[in-house]
Amino acid sequence: MSEEMINKVRDAVAVINDPHMGVSIVEMGIVQDIDVDGDKAKIVIKPTNPGCMSVARIAADAKNEAEKVEGIEKAEIVIEGHMMADSINEMINK
């Protein structure tokens, strides 16, 4: 895993703002972890509220932004700590 690629993915998803706070999801700590293995990125997202209604949108945006990074072909998003995490993970990573 390349630290440079992790930083590129982090920078890409940092443009996404929490819709309620207007602050980057990276700055807020919602992005818990980023891992890159070859051309695949795995991004762990943990919303501040386990019932957050915006987490599916945040996850979709994170996937789209990460997959725009040169060298990343596929991004897997893992939502943790949300009451609908399993359903959202399944929907986002189809």
Side-chain angles (χ1 to χ4, degrees), residues 23-85:
V23 178
S24 165
I25 61 172
V26 172
E27 287 180 45
M28 286 186 67
I30 292 172
V31 175
Q32 296 282 299
D33 190 40
I34 298 172
D35 187 34
V36 175
D37 185 11
D39 63 355
K40 294 175 180 53
K42 179 178 176 182
I43 303 168
V44 178
I45 294 174
K46 185 174 181 181
T48 56
N49 176 342
C52 175
M53 298 301 288
S54 302
V55 74
R57 164 78 350 213
I58 290 170
D61 289 348
K63 182 175 179 68
N64 289 335
E65 292 300 325
E67 289 177 349
K68 289 179 186 177
V69 173
E70 187 175 336
I72 299 297
E73 293 299 317
K74 181 151 180 68
E76 175 188 5
I77 307 298
V78 178
I79 303 297
E80 293 181 347
H82 189 274
M83 62 187 195
M84 295 183 65

